Amino acid sequence: MRSAIALCPPRPHPFTSPWSSRAFFLRPLSLHSKRALTLSPSLPRGSALVAAGNKPRHVSSEPVSNAPDEEPGAADEAVEGLDLGWLPAFPHVFTASMANFLFGYHIGVMNGPIQAIAQELGFDGNPFLEGLVVSIFIAGAFIGSISSSTLIDRLGCRRTLQIDTIPLILGAVLSAQAHSVDEMLLGRFLVGLGIGVNTVLVPIYISEVSPTKYRGSLGALCQIGTCLGIIASLCLGISSENDPHWWRTMLYLAAVPAFILIVGMQFAVESPRWLCKVGRVADAKKVIGSLWSVSDVERSIEEIQAVITNDSIDLGSSWFDLLVEPHRRVAFIGGSLFILQQFSGINGVLYFSSLTFQDVGITNGALASLFLGITNLAGALFALYLMDKQGRKRLLTGSYLGMVISMFIIVYAINSPIDEGLGHNLSILGTIIYIFTFAIGAGPVTGIIIPELSSSQTRSKIVSFSFSVHWICNFLVGLFFLELVDKFGVGPVYATFGGVSLLSAIFSIFFIVETKGRSLEEIETSLNTGVFSKDE
């Protein structure tokens, strides 16, 4: 049973699709209409929305059949073909999401070579030290998460991300050169410290620099980056079975994307929201004009400054602000989402999945984990496409309902008197469905919706608090999962995961409000005034 932990160390989701955050419909436009749409300062580029107060309303999707100066459908195809509004922000978001690649890489890097590391460093056969080498990563991540908000508020996202990469590099090099368990533990702790800050920082950065229309889709790059990092480490880990010293090379390689991240962020923009908070309005206008739309600059700046004035933002705001409405409500939602996410069993399923695959003859733990990593990536890609089409609330609810079904399939396969081969196949099917449905909603949506719901005043603190809760729950699941399985059996434990997943779906229905298609300022204003509908 200990091997399950070694093969599948704790791996949180945290942390979404390029098409349309602001659901819109297009109808054929005359030349005059096209020109008016292009020049209108109140509309986002590539959108056919008509402003109605603070909430956009949709232009009718019914085609105009008797327009003399247009071909039916031609305008639709032209506009869709030129809809590249996500492209200016993409390089900046992509660079930041490399931090998530490092996150995933360091999660998976211990999968294959943990036994070789234990033998070389002299703690082979000591389950406590083997578990500590894996779990001290989580301890560092917790400290990094809880302390990240001060850095973000004072230095901004861009500089904090560069500084935070330093412990990632030092930790990777120290771990690669380790000749004692103490050196390995220190290296893993430093890596966890950097990862803890990154998991808070990257969703905030992406949500604040992305155009509203593509915010959810670009936010999905967090989850995709994590999946790619895990897959990369697992692929490299296959060679560790033939080379007992290969783990040192794997850890050295972790420093390469970290160096790229430091250099890349030097060319990335700073969050326009943070620039406005510190009084650099001219710089904020340049960022908005280059990443969103030149026609959006003045309106966006007015909205941001209005929110800042309303919040009376102080860069030294207190944690006690989280006890005041509406911040308290958002902090409750953020913490609850991560409690429900972790106790719905994602890490437990990953731990036991290695044994499930062994039952059907897949004895290579790295290969089994790689298969699950690919499934996770496939789900994240679907989330990328669906996030701004279906909305956060619908994806989150549907994701948890899918996880309920998958848990039912696995429990049925374990407890029903069916053919053993069929039972194993159903267990594999249930595991795949679980990972896939988690990656569509419960993983990426949880990471992106918390900064969306948070106000400018408390965004860094609420996200920091929420991810700290995540790391605590992650650690508890990793610590007690196998013990609970030994005591009660797999069926009751998985049935509990299914029950928590059902509770999570109900929570999503009643507590999650839809953020698709609304700017961060619109969301904050609606929450402050209490007029935000839970549905779109």
Side-chain angles (χ1 to χ4, degrees):
M1 302 295 281
R2 289 194 301 268
S3 63
I5 294 181
L7 290 173
C8 297
R11 130 176 162 28
H13 75 214
F15 67 82
T16 11
S17 198
W19 312 123
S20 169
S21 140
R22 200 183 288 262
F24 66 96
F25 301 91
L26 296 171
R27 64 179 179 180
L29 303 172
S30 66
L31 292 176
H32 174 75
S33 301
K34 293 177 188 176
R35 187 176 300 111
L37 180 62
T38 303
L39 297 177
S40 173
S42 61
L43 296 174
R45 185 170 49 195
S47 165
L49 295 171
V50 177
N54 287 331
K55 183 174 181 180
R57 66 179 171 83
H58 303 304
V59 175
S60 171
S61 58
E62 294 297 322
V64 180
S65 58
N66 55 357
D69 57 344
E70 61 195 18
E71 294 182 13
D76 290 17
E77 295 177 2
V79 173
E80 290 177 0
L82 296 175
D83 188 7
L84 300 176
W86 54 271
L87 191 57
F90 178 79
H92 309 273
V93 172
F94 177 80
T95 302
S97 66
M98 192 169 293
N100 287 84
F101 178 88
L102 283 167
F103 175 33
Y105 188 90
H106 282 292
I107 289 173
V109 75
M110 290 293 173
N111 257 352
I114 183 64
Q115 294 300 323
I117 294 173
Q119 291 174 4
E120 187 166 344
L121 299 185
F123 59 93
D124 187 30
N126 188 328
F128 174 76
L129 287 179
E130 289 181 11
L132 188 60
V133 167
V134 173
S135 61
I136 198 170
F137 171 91
I138 299 177
F142 170 78
I143 295 174
S145 292
I146 202 68
S147 60
S148 60
S149 64
T150 301
L151 291 173
I152 297 171
D153 287 341
R154 295 293 179 184
L155 303 177
C157 295
R158 180 166 163 260
R159 288 293 178 229
T160 302
L161 193 54
Q162 290 181 301
I163 294 172
D164 175 57
T165 307
I166 295 174
L168 287 171
I169 296 174
L170 293 177
V173 173
L174 184 60
S175 300
Q177 294 179 339
H179 294 285
S180 69
V181 65
D182 291 337
E183 292 177 343
M184 176 59 71
L185 290 174
L186 178 58
R188 290 288 290 171
F189 177 81
L190 288 174
V191 166
L193 195 66
I195 292 300
V197 177
N198 282 348
T199 54
V200 174
L201 174 59
V202 176
I204 292 176
Y205 178 78
I206 293 178
S207 67
E208 292 195 349
V209 302
S210 299
T212 297
K213 182 180 176 181
Y214 308 99
R215 191 176 60 237
S217 304
L218 293 173
L221 293 178
C222 289
Q223 179 80 353
I224 292 174
T226 302
C227 294
L228 290 175
I230 293 173
I231 291 173
S233 64
L234 293 175
C235 290
L236 289 172
I238 295 175
S239 300
S240 65
E241 297 184 1
N242 301 319
D243 183 356
H245 305 294
W246 177 247
W247 61 271
R248 295 187 183 275
T249 302
M250 292 178 64
L251 290 170
Y252 275 126
L253 288 175
V256 176
F259 276 114
I260 296 175
L261 178 60
I262 289 179
V263 175
M265 289 307 296
Q266 187 64 32
F267 301 96
V269 298
E270 182 53 85
S271 160
R273 272 96 179 183
W274 182 82
L275 291 172
C276 282
K277 283 195 287 186
V278 296
R280 296 167 56 183
V281 178
D283 292 335
K285 289 181 177 181
K286 291 179 182 178
V287 172
I288 293 173
S290 62
L291 265 58
W292 303 355
S293 170
V294 174
S295 62
D296 282 343
V297 171
E298 294 302 328
R299 178 178 57 83
S300 298
I301 291 294
E302 288 178 5
E303 290 180 354
I304 294 171
Q305 290 183 322
V307 167
I308 291 174
T309 302
N310 183 61
D311 281 344
S312 299
I313 287 178
D314 176 8
L315 292 180
S317 58
S318 169
W319 282 95
F320 289 106
D321 292 335
L322 270 60
L323 300 177
V324 180
E325 291 291 1
H327 314 309
R328 180 173 59 186
R329 183 176 14 146
V330 178
F332 166 76
I333 292 174
S336 298
L337 281 176
F338 274 124
I339 291 173
L340 293 169
Q341 182 202 66
Q342 290 301 299
F343 288 113
S344 66
I346 179 61
N347 288 310
V349 172
L350 289 173
Y351 302 155
F352 197 73
S353 65
S354 60
L355 302 181
T356 303
F357 281 110
Q358 288 175 19
D359 288 338
V360 294
I362 302 176
T363 58
N364 188 317
L367 185 61
S369 298
L370 178 61
F371 181 77
L372 292 181
I374 294 173
T375 303
N376 201 3
L377 176 62
L381 291 173
F382 269 85
L384 179 97
Y385 178 73
L386 294 173
M387 187 70 69
D388 287 326
K389 286 181 173 291
Q390 299 299 322
R392 284 57 151 167
K393 182 175 180 177
R394 183 177 296 181
L395 277 188
L396 194 62
T397 305
S399 171
Y400 277 118
L401 291 176
M403 292 160 66
V404 173
I405 295 173
S406 64
M407 286 293 99
F408 173 79
I409 292 174
I410 296 174
V411 172
Y412 175 79
I414 293 172
N415 295 328
S416 297
I418 57 178
D419 178 73
E420 183 178 2
L422 177 60
H424 289 160
N425 290 334
L426 284 177
S427 295
I428 294 292
L429 176 63
T431 301
I432 293 173
I433 294 175
Y434 180 92
I435 298 298
F436 183 81
T437 53
F438 173 87
I440 285 181
V445 172
T446 304
I448 191 63
I449 199 169
I450 297 173
E452 286 183 329
L453 291 175
S454 304
S455 70
S456 297
Q457 180 183 5
T458 59
R459 182 167 294 129
S460 64
K461 287 182 171 59
I462 288 177
V463 178
S464 175
F465 163 76
S466 301
F467 273 96
S468 299
V469 171
H470 162 270
W471 289 114
I472 293 173
C473 296
N474 184 301
F475 176 77
L476 292 175
V477 172
L479 183 63
F480 293 112
F481 172 73
L482 291 179
E483 184 177 340
L484 291 173
V485 168
D486 287 338
K487 186 174 183 178
F488 299 105
V490 177
V493 173
Y494 273 33
T496 302
F497 289 160
V500 175
S501 297
L502 180 59
L503 181 63
S504 303
I506 295 172
F507 181 88
S508 301
I509 293 173
F510 288 100
F511 286 91
I512 300 302
V513 295
E514 185 54 70
T515 57
K516 173 175 71 77
R518 292 176 178 267
S519 70
L520 299 182
E521 290 68 38
E522 285 180 294
I523 296 169
E524 180 174 350
T525 301
S526 298
L527 287 173
N528 286 339
T529 56
V531 298
F532 203 120
S533 172
K534 291 183 180 180
D535 298 313
E536 186 180 0

